[in-house]
Amino acid sequence: MNYVQRGFFWVGIYLCLVLTPLFVLLLAPGLSGSGFWWDFSIALGFAGTSMMGAMFVLTARFRHAAAPFGIDLIYYFHRWIALVAFIFIIVHPAILLFLEPVFLEDLRISVISWHMLAGVISLITLTILMVTSLWRQQLKIHYDAWRIWHTLFAITALGLAIVHIEGVGNYVSSPWKRILWAAISACCLILLLYVRLIKPLVLLRHPYRVEQVVKERGDAWTLVLRPQGHSGFTFMPGQFAWLTLRNSPFALKEHPFSISSSAMQPQEIQFTIKELGDFTRRIKDVFPGQTAYLDGPYGAFSMDRHPSSDYVFIAGGIGIAPIMGMLRTLADRGDSRSLLLIYAYKTWEGLTFQEELEKLKEHLHLRVVYVLDTPPDNWQGESGFITDELLARHLPVAMNQHEYYLCGPVVMTAMVEKALRRQGVPLHQIHSEIFNLA
Ligand SMILES: Cc1cc2nc3c(=O)[nH]c(=O)nc-3n(C[C@H](O)[C@H](O)[C@H](O)COP(=O)(O)OP(=O)(O)OC[C@H]3O[C@@H](n4cnc5c(N)ncnc54)[C@H](O)[C@@H]3O)c2cc1C
């Protein structure tokens, strides 16, 4: 199966997961018959809950399922489909209370039944989950702490929602419906065991050793890793992996980084990491001999997925890392296709991989256009933003016969994507990697 067919297959599986509870709901004994809006509200509650359950599948990082889309796309889908599920779940009691305001009486703390309490707490937990996820940065919640609470809140919200459904009972009275919800609960538990126990255990048995920590220009460091006692993994140039350092894989304190080394040398994996926050600022303190764990490879940002006669790469700052991985791979393969790299950076001194890019020009049919934010006094090259005019000056004439790879700050990537579209490049030939999954 090719990527498109595999994509359809996994979308089909996802739809089955989400829609099955709705279809089973329609099986005898039927809905209450209290009118369209009543039944619609119940259907929304069921759909929202099964979508919540499917989130555990989406975020379990199954490599085969993620491959056709790229895990970053799956995380974006998770983010937005979670919002849809949340709306469904919120609208469910809102409709019921609108139809039967007397239900409010049953929610008083002195009389509330345990299954209704479970429903209310599930709703509150879900609301906290959504608010802290959508506005995590504005609320200044640290990523690692957020991730732990996100998982705990998700398990609580789903668990209590299932308790609520079971407790209400009206809609799960037949054996089929009971089996379905028991199966959904069991699947979520198995997924939890897989993510929290089995996967970390597998990573623990496949350690890597830090061979070197190399200082790069531009406050960046390259970590060189080798598999210890196993053969590592093969990857496509441009892909990324989750790196765990100083912790066991059970701590789930892992960070995603693009592989900046050549895919032709999978026994020596390199990550080039820019100092930014708590974890990345301490990369310079890592020492050779230290143990690391890698979960990968992931991602769809690779020229190997889109064969073309020529490639255009556009990097901003540390966005050069996955592109360097692709250029190094092309050089190792002795590739003779025409390549253009447009590389934007603040200063000439800070330009990561400056010397190696110049050397790569000797081995590849590569043209590099540097675009500096603050150029030195005698600078003859490009400066400022990557604009339509700059692209028009440097892009190849037959620009829609190339594949374009963009990686850099979110704002730059969005601007360049729009500029390329205005230049006539079809959307499906533009591929971008955003260094922000959360
Ligand atoms: C697919 C992908 C590839 C990447 N490749 C590179 C690379 O090659 N080189 C490089 O320097 N950076 C890369 N990054 C960015 C890198 O993962 C973050 O800069 C790093 O995790 C920040 O951690 P911190 O503790 O130093 O910073 P913090 O200040 O704690 O975090 C800064 C921001 O980074 C994000 N972040 C933090 N921790 C995580 C985490 N565990 N998982 C996901 N996001 C997190 C959050 O949005 C957070 O707000 C990549 C990111 C992604 C998603």
Side-chain angles (χ1 to χ4, degrees), residues 83-125:
L83 193 61
V84 176
F86 178 62
I87 293 170
F88 282 8
I89 289 170
I90 282 280
V91 172
H92 156 66
I95 294 180
L96 294 185
L97 286 174
F98 181 77
L99 293 176
E100 300 281 351
V102 71
F103 277 171
L104 260 183
E105 292 290 309
D106 299 338
L107 295 181
R108 278 180 301 132
I109 198 76
S110 51
V111 295
I112 192 166
S113 59
W114 57 269
H115 60 265
M116 289 312 285
L117 188 63
V120 172
I121 300 177
S122 171
L123 209 59
I124 294 171
T125 315

Side-chain angles (χ1 to χ4, degrees), residues 136-137 143 254-256 258 272 274 276-277 279-280 435-436:
R136 178 183 62 82
Q137 283 173 352
Y143 183 87
E254 35 171 21
H255 292 252
S258 303
T272 303
K274 188 167 176 81
L276 178 81
F279 179 80
T280 47
F435 280 1
N436 189 3

Side-chain angles (χ1 to χ4, degrees), residues 16-26 29-32 38-54 85 88-93 96 158 161-162 164-174 176-178 180-182 184:
C16 280
L17 280 177
V18 169
L19 295 177
T20 307
L22 276 183
F23 288 125
V24 174
L25 186 69
L26 294 173
L31 292 169
S32 72
W38 184 277
D39 293 344
F40 180 62
S41 144
I42 303 299
L44 284 182
F46 272 89
T49 310
S50 54
M51 283 161 86
M52 246 199 318
F88 282 8
I89 289 170
I90 282 280
V91 172
H92 156 66
L96 294 185
L158 182 63
I162 292 175
H164 172 71
I165 290 170
E166 288 284 339
V168 173
N170 296 347
Y171 300 93
V172 288
S173 48
S174 74
W176 274 109
K177 294 174 187 176
R178 283 205 175 277
L180 175 81
W181 286 101
I184 290 181

Side-chain angles (χ1 to χ4, degrees), residues 61 71-72 136-137 141-144 147 220 240-242 252-260 271-282 318-322 407 433-438:
R61 291 193 209 152
I71 198 105
D72 39 355
R136 178 183 62 82
Q137 283 173 352
I141 304 172
H142 193 277
Y143 183 87
D144 289 333
R147 197 170 166 205
F240 70 94
W242 263 275
L252 291 185
K253 289 195 171 175
E254 35 171 21
H255 292 252
F257 294 104
S258 303
I259 303 170
S260 58
F271 298 103
T272 303
I273 300 173
K274 188 167 176 81
E275 294 184 21
L276 178 81
D278 290 355
F279 179 80
T280 47
R281 276 202 203 103
R282 290 191 297 138
I318 197 61
I320 191 67
C407 188
E433 182 82 290
I434 306 285
F435 280 1
N436 189 3
L437 291 178

Side-chain angles (χ1 to χ4, degrees), residues 17-291:
L17 280 177
V18 169
L19 295 177
T20 307
L22 276 183
F23 288 125
V24 174
L25 186 69
L26 294 173
L27 295 177
L31 292 169
S32 72
S34 302
F36 170 78
W37 286 107
W38 184 277
D39 293 344
F40 180 62
S41 144
I42 303 299
L44 284 182
F46 272 89
T49 310
S50 54
M51 283 161 86
M52 246 199 318
M55 301 298 166
F56 285 79
V57 184
L58 288 177
T59 53
R61 291 193 209 152
F62 291 115
R63 256 202 301 278
H64 289 294
F69 314 98
I71 198 105
D72 39 355
L73 200 71
I74 290 184
Y75 273 75
Y76 280 112
F77 180 70
H78 161 61
R79 194 184 172 102
W80 296 112
I81 205 69
L83 193 61
V84 176
F86 178 62
I87 293 170
F88 282 8
I89 289 170
I90 282 280
V91 172
H92 156 66
I95 294 180
L96 294 185
L97 286 174
F98 181 77
L99 293 176
E100 300 281 351
V102 71
F103 277 171
L104 260 183
E105 292 290 309
D106 299 338
L107 295 181
R108 278 180 301 132
I109 198 76
S110 51
V111 295
I112 192 166
S113 59
W114 57 269
H115 60 265
M116 289 312 285
L117 188 63
V120 172
I121 300 177
S122 171
L123 209 59
I124 294 171
T125 315
L126 208 56
T127 308
I128 299 174
L129 187 83
M130 291 308 295
V131 170
T132 50
S133 301
L134 290 174
W135 293 286
R136 178 183 62 82
Q137 283 173 352
Q138 289 83 342
L139 292 169
K140 300 203 183 330
I141 304 172
H142 193 277
Y143 183 87
D144 289 333
W146 168 81
R147 197 170 166 205
I148 291 168
W149 283 107
H150 188 77
T151 312
L152 290 178
F153 280 139
I155 296 167
T156 310
L158 182 63
L160 290 176
I162 292 175
V163 170
H164 172 71
I165 290 170
E166 288 284 339
V168 173
N170 296 347
Y171 300 93
V172 288
S173 48
S174 74
W176 274 109
K177 294 174 187 176
R178 283 205 175 277
I179 290 171
L180 175 81
W181 286 101
I184 290 181
S185 313
C187 282
C188 291
L189 204 68
I190 291 168
L191 278 174
L192 208 66
L193 281 176
Y194 169 73
V195 172
R196 292 278 155 175
L197 201 68
I198 298 168
K199 201 161 183 186
L201 208 61
V202 171
L203 295 186
L204 199 67
R205 294 168 65 109
H206 293 83
Y208 286 74
R209 183 182 189 276
V210 176
E211 291 284 307
Q212 268 180 288
V213 185
V214 183
K215 171 136 187 58
E216 304 284 359
R217 287 176 180 271
D219 299 326
W221 297 84
T222 292
L223 278 185
V224 183
L225 307 177
R226 269 186 188 281
Q228 282 289 289
H230 61 100
S231 53
F233 56 74
T234 53
F235 59 92
M236 285 191 289
Q239 284 195 294
F240 70 94
W242 263 275
L243 168 71
T244 302
L245 275 170
R246 302 187 192 92
N247 279 294
S248 103
F250 288 99
L252 291 185
K253 289 195 171 175
E254 35 171 21
H255 292 252
F257 294 104
S258 303
I259 303 170
S260 58
S261 51
S262 166
M264 302 305 284
Q265 297 172 34
Q267 288 299 305
E268 189 187 271
I269 300 227
Q270 298 184 15
F271 298 103
T272 303
I273 300 173
K274 188 167 176 81
E275 294 184 21
L276 178 81
D278 290 355
F279 179 80
T280 47
R281 276 202 203 103
R282 290 191 297 138
I283 290 294
K284 56 174 168 291
D285 305 327
V286 175
F287 50 86
Q290 220 168 324
T291 301

